[in-house]
Coordinates of all heavy atoms in Angstrom, one line a residue:
N1 N 4.0 0.6 3.3 CA 4.6 1.3 2.1 C 5.7 0.4 1.4 O 6.4 -0.4 2.1 CB 5.3 2.5 2.6 CG 4.5 3.5 3.2 OD1 3.4 3.7 2.7 ND2 4.8 4.1 4.2
S2 N 5.9 0.7 0.2 CA 6.8 0.0 -0.5 C 7.2 0.9 -1.7 O 6.4 1.5 -2.4 CB 6.4 -1.5 -1.1 OG 7.5 -1.9 -2.0
S3 N 8.6 1.0 -2.3 CA 8.9 1.7 -3.4 C 8.7 0.9 -4.7 O 8.7 1.3 -5.7 CB 10.4 2.1 -3.4 OG 11.1 0.9 -3.1
N4 N 8.4 -0.5 -4.5 CA 7.9 -1.3 -5.6 C 6.4 -1.1 -5.9 O 5.7 -1.5 -5.0 CB 8.2 -2.8 -5.3 CG 7.8 -3.7 -6.3 OD1 6.8 -3.7 -7.0 ND2 8.8 -4.6 -6.8
V5 N 6.1 -0.5 -7.0 CA 4.8 -0.1 -7.3 C 3.7 -1.2 -7.1 O 2.7 -1.1 -6.4 CB 4.6 0.7 -8.6 CG1 3.1 1.0 -8.8 CG2 5.4 2.0 -8.6
M6 N 4.0 -2.3 -7.8 CA 2.9 -3.3 -7.9 C 2.9 -4.1 -6.6 O 1.9 -4.7 -6.2 CB 3.2 -4.2 -9.1 CG 3.0 -3.5 -10.4 SD 1.6 -2.4 -10.5 CE 0.2 -3.5 -10.4
M7 N 4.0 -4.1 -5.9 CA 4.0 -4.8 -4.6 C 3.1 -4.1 -3.6 O 2.4 -4.6 -2.8 CB 5.5 -5.0 -4.0 CG 5.5 -5.7 -2.8 SD 7.1 -5.7 -2.0 CE 8.0 -6.6 -3.2
C8 N 3.3 -2.8 -3.7 CA 2.5 -1.9 -3.0 C 1.0 -2.0 -3.2 O 0.1 -2.1 -2.2 CB 2.9 -0.4 -3.1 SG 2.4 0.7 -1.8
V9 N 0.6 -2.1 -4.5 CA -0.8 -2.3 -4.9 C -1.3 -3.5 -4.3 O -2.3 -3.6 -3.7 CB -0.9 -2.4 -6.4 CG1 -2.3 -2.8 -6.8 CG2 -0.5 -0.9 -7.0
K10 N -0.5 -4.7 -4.5 CA -0.9 -6.0 -4.1 C -1.1 -6.0 -2.6 O -2.1 -6.5 -2.0 CB 0.1 -7.0 -4.4 CG -0.3 -8.4 -3.9 CD -1.6 -8.9 -4.7 CE -1.9 -10.4 -4.2 NZ -3.2 -10.9 -4.8
A11 N -0.2 -5.3 -1.7 CA -0.3 -5.3 -0.3 C -1.6 -4.6 0.1 O -2.2 -5.0 1.2 CB 0.9 -4.6 0.3
H12 N -1.9 -3.6 -0.5 CA -3.1 -2.8 -0.2 C -4.4 -3.5 -0.5 O -5.4 -3.6 0.2 CB -3.2 -1.4 -0.9 CG -2.4 -0.4 -0.2 ND1 -1.1 -0.4 -0.5 CD2 -2.7 0.4 0.8 CE1 -0.6 0.7 0.3 NE2 -1.5 1.2 0.9
E13 N -4.4 -4.3 -1.6 CA -5.5 -5.3 -1.9 C -5.7 -6.3 -0.8 O -6.9 -6.6 -0.4 CB -5.2 -5.9 -3.2 CG -5.3 -5.0 -4.5 CD -5.0 -5.7 -5.7 OE1 -4.4 -6.8 -5.8 OE2 -5.0 -5.0 -6.8
L14 N -4.6 -6.8 -0.3 CA -4.7 -7.8 0.7 C -5.1 -7.2 2.1 O -6.0 -7.8 2.7 CB -3.3 -8.5 0.9 CG -2.7 -9.3 -0.2 CD1 -1.3 -9.8 0.0 CD2 -3.7 -10.5 -0.4
I15 N -4.5 -6.1 2.5 CA -4.8 -5.6 3.9 C -6.2 -5.0 3.9 O -6.7 -5.0 5.0 CB -3.7 -4.5 4.3 CG1 -3.8 -4.5 5.8 CG2 -4.1 -3.2 3.6 CD1 -2.5 -3.7 6.3
S16 N -6.8 -4.6 2.7 CA -8.2 -4.1 2.8 C -9.2 -5.1 3.1 O -10.2 -4.8 3.6 CB -8.5 -3.4 1.6 OG -8.5 -4.4 0.4
K17 N -8.7 -6.4 3.0 CA -9.6 -7.4 3.3 C -9.4 -8.1 4.7 O -10.3 -8.9 5.2 CB -9.3 -8.6 2.3 CG -9.7 -8.2 0.8 CD -9.3 -9.3 -0.1 CE -9.4 -9.0 -1.6 NZ -8.9 -10.0 -2.5
E18 N -8.4 -7.5 5.3 CA -8.0 -7.9 6.7 C -8.4 -7.1 7.8 O -8.5 -7.6 8.9 CB -6.4 -8.2 6.7 CG -6.0 -9.2 5.8 CD -6.2 -10.7 6.2 OE1 -6.5 -10.8 7.3 OE2 -6.1 -11.6 5.4
M19 N -8.6 -5.8 7.6 CA -8.9 -4.9 8.6 C -9.6 -3.7 8.2 O -9.7 -3.4 6.9 CB -7.7 -4.4 9.4 CG -6.6 -3.8 8.5 SD -5.0 -3.3 9.4 CE -4.4 -4.8 10.0
D20 N -10.4 -3.0 9.0 CA -11.2 -1.8 8.6 C -10.7 -0.5 9.1 O -11.5 0.5 9.2 CB -12.6 -2.0 9.1 CG -12.9 -2.0 10.6 OD1 -11.9 -2.1 11.3 OD2 -14.0 -2.1 11.1
Y21 N -9.4 -0.5 9.5 CA -8.8 0.9 9.9 C -8.6 1.6 8.5 O -8.3 1.1 7.6 CB -7.4 0.7 10.6 CG -7.6 0.0 12.0 CD1 -7.1 -1.4 12.2 CD2 -8.1 0.7 13.0 CE1 -7.2 -1.9 13.5 CE2 -8.3 0.1 14.3 CZ -7.7 -1.2 14.5 OH -7.8 -1.7 15.7
P22 N -8.7 3.0 8.8 CA -8.4 3.8 7.6 C -6.9 3.7 7.1 O -6.1 3.4 8.0 CB -8.7 5.3 8.1 CG -8.8 5.1 9.5 CD -9.0 3.7 9.9
L23 N -6.8 3.6 5.8 CA -5.4 3.4 5.3 C -4.8 4.7 4.7 O -5.5 5.4 4.0 CB -5.5 2.3 4.2 CG -5.9 0.9 4.6 CD1 -6.1 0.1 3.3 CD2 -4.9 0.3 5.5
H24 N -3.6 5.0 5.2 CA -2.8 6.1 4.5 C -2.0 5.4 3.3 O -1.2 4.4 3.6 CB -1.8 6.6 5.5 CG -0.8 7.5 4.9 ND1 -1.1 8.9 4.8 CD2 0.3 7.3 4.4 CE1 -0.1 9.4 4.2 NE2 0.9 8.5 4.0
V25 N -2.3 5.9 2.1 CA -1.7 5.2 0.9 C -0.6 6.2 0.3 O -0.7 7.3 0.1 CB -2.8 5.0 -0.1 CG1 -2.4 4.3 -1.3 CG2 -3.9 4.2 0.5
G26 N 0.5 5.5 -0.2 CA 1.5 6.2 -0.9 C 2.5 5.2 -1.4 O 2.6 4.1 -0.9
I27 N 3.2 5.6 -2.4 CA 4.4 4.9 -2.9 C 5.5 5.5 -2.3 O 6.0 6.7 -2.7 CB 4.4 4.9 -4.5 CG1 3.0 4.5 -5.1 CG2 5.5 4.0 -5.0 CD1 2.6 3.1 -4.8
T28 N 6.1 4.8 -1.4 CA 7.3 5.4 -0.7 C 8.5 5.6 -1.5 O 8.7 4.8 -2.4 CB 7.6 4.5 0.6 OG1 8.5 5.4 1.5 CG2 8.2 3.3 0.3
E29 N 9.4 6.5 -1.3 CA 10.7 6.7 -1.9 C 10.5 6.6 -3.4 O 11.3 5.8 -4.0 CB 11.6 5.7 -1.4 CG 11.9 5.8 0.2 CD 12.5 4.6 0.8 OE1 12.5 3.6 0.1 OE2 12.8 4.5 2.0
S30 N 9.5 7.3 -3.9 CA 9.0 7.0 -5.4 C 10.1 7.7 -6.3 O 10.1 7.3 -7.5 CB 7.6 7.5 -5.5 OG 7.6 8.9 -5.3
G31 N 10.8 8.8 -5.8 CA 11.8 9.3 -6.7 C 11.6 10.8 -6.9 O 10.9 11.5 -6.1
T32 N 12.1 11.4 -8.0 CA 12.1 12.8 -8.2 C 10.8 13.2 -8.7 O 9.7 12.4 -8.7 CB 13.0 13.1 -9.4 OG1 12.6 12.4 -10.6 CG2 14.5 12.8 -9.0
V33 N 10.6 14.6 -8.7 CA 9.2 15.0 -9.2 C 8.7 14.4 -10.5 O 7.4 14.0 -10.6 CB 9.3 16.6 -9.3 CG1 8.0 17.0 -10.0 CG2 9.5 17.3 -8.0

């Protein structure tokens, strides 16, 4: 998780190539509704 949107996107792109465990995805501490 990261509250930085594009950092979070990049991290998921990287980790999806490194392991095959299911991923829980979200932008943490994203803010108000």
Side-chain angles (χ1 to χ4, degrees):
N1 295 321
S2 174
S3 56
N4 181 307
V5 174
M6 297 317 296
M7 184 187 297
C8 199
V9 172
K10 181 64 176 177
H12 282 86
E13 291 171 351
L14 293 172
I15 202 166
S16 67
K17 299 171 184 176
E18 298 281 347
M19 59 180 64
D20 65 351
Y21 291 113
L23 294 174
H24 171 90
V25 181
I27 308 300
T28 191
E29 300 158 355
S30 60
T32 62
V33 172

